Amino acid sequence: MIRVCLIDDHESVRLGLEAALLREGADVIFSGESVTSYLRWRRAGGEAPADVAVLDLGLGDGSAITDNVRRIVLDGSAVIIHSVADRPAAVRESLVAGAIGVVSKSAPIGEVIAAVRTVAAGRPLDNVEWASAVDGDADFAAAQLSQREREVLALYATGLPLKVVADRLGIAFSTAKENIARVRAKYTDVGRPAPTKVDLLMRAMEDGIIDDADKNAPRVG
């Protein structure tokens, strides 16, 4: 059962999402209007973190989206932004802070539920709102990867073991490993850290290094 928390300062939005998620068998462990209230509730009761937090982009308590996302991620939950689609810079800010993706509040409820399932399964969320937030923001800093780094990332991020990546490119395993280390360092330098393989997949998709065909290619090893 997927454990979900809903954080939105509009009660009607929370109630609608909660009812739909419960119908689909999810466990909505918390529904409230701020990140602070969620974290206080969780720690006071000794509850484990939610698998997925569905978070509004702008909350009525005046909190910053970067702080909200980072607090939830550090607490151990994946974050989906659920908001209007007319604030691409703020959405991008949430992605840089560690959110997995974004779903518009105008999307059918089934899309929200599908997004929760996708993220709970450890997969990146790739949809129109997410792509628009990246493509529409001229300040989305490129990592300036070399051609070899892009080649290694393209193969590694889609699921190939690093040894297989090295063999395919005809390079030493140590060289492939060094390339991935440099890729991670470069993304960190531009404020887009990628500590996990899922993060690397997201960065590669954001920068057009891989496309949907690459992402869905059969895994090896």
Side-chain angles (χ1 to χ4, degrees):
M1 182 179 292
I2 302 171
R3 302 173 74 255
V4 183
C5 74
L6 305 175
I7 303 174
D8 195 303
D9 56 356
H10 294 89
E11 185 179 20
S12 59
V13 173
R14 298 199 311 267
L15 291 174
L17 282 175
E18 183 173 2
L21 287 163
L22 290 173
R23 283 198 304 269
E24 295 297 320
D27 180 12
V28 179
I29 65 169
F30 177 87
S31 176
E33 61 184 18
S34 74
V35 173
T36 296
S37 62
Y38 163 62
L39 294 177
R40 284 177 178 168
W41 168 86
R42 193 188 72 69
R43 290 163 184 166
E47 291 279 344
D51 299 313
V52 180
V54 180
L55 174 67
D56 189 13
L57 194 61
L59 299 176
D61 62 356
S63 55
I65 186 60
T66 292
D67 291 339
N68 284 337
V69 171
R70 285 178 177 169
R71 291 175 72 192
I72 296 173
V73 170
L74 287 173
D75 190 58
S77 301
V79 176
I80 295 174
I81 297 299
H82 186 227
S83 191
V84 294
D86 60 352
R87 299 177 60 191
V91 171
R92 186 199 68 87
E93 183 181 340
S94 73
L95 296 174
V96 170
I100 298 296
V102 56
V103 179
S104 173
K105 283 188 174 179
S106 64
I109 195 68
E111 289 188 19
V112 182
I113 294 170
V116 169
R117 288 175 174 163
T118 296
V119 170
R123 301 192 302 272
L125 188 59
D126 181 20
N127 56 19
V128 173
E129 290 81 12
W130 173 87
S132 296
V134 173
D135 293 342
D137 192 343
D139 293 328
F140 198 74
Q144 302 299 324
L145 304 184
S146 70
Q147 182 59 37
R148 175 62 78 194
E149 288 164 353
R150 292 171 68 91
E151 291 170 348
V152 172
L153 175 60
L155 294 175
Y156 182 67
T158 53
L160 295 178
L162 204 52
K163 178 66 167 63
V164 175
V165 172
D167 289 345
R168 285 200 178 185
L169 295 176
I171 59 178
F173 173 79
S174 59
T175 301
K177 187 175 181 180
E178 289 169 4
N179 273 273
I180 289 298
R182 286 199 300 269
V183 167
R184 285 198 164 104
K186 287 183 177 182
Y187 276 121
T188 298
D189 287 344
V190 297
R192 301 166 60 197
T196 71
K197 202 166 188 177
V198 170
D199 293 323
L200 285 173
L201 175 59
M202 291 177 63
R203 302 295 170 260
M205 290 164 56
E206 290 164 0
D207 290 347
I209 294 170
I210 63 174
D211 57 23
D212 286 343
D214 297 320
K215 179 183 62 177
N216 295 321
R219 271 53 169 171
V220 176

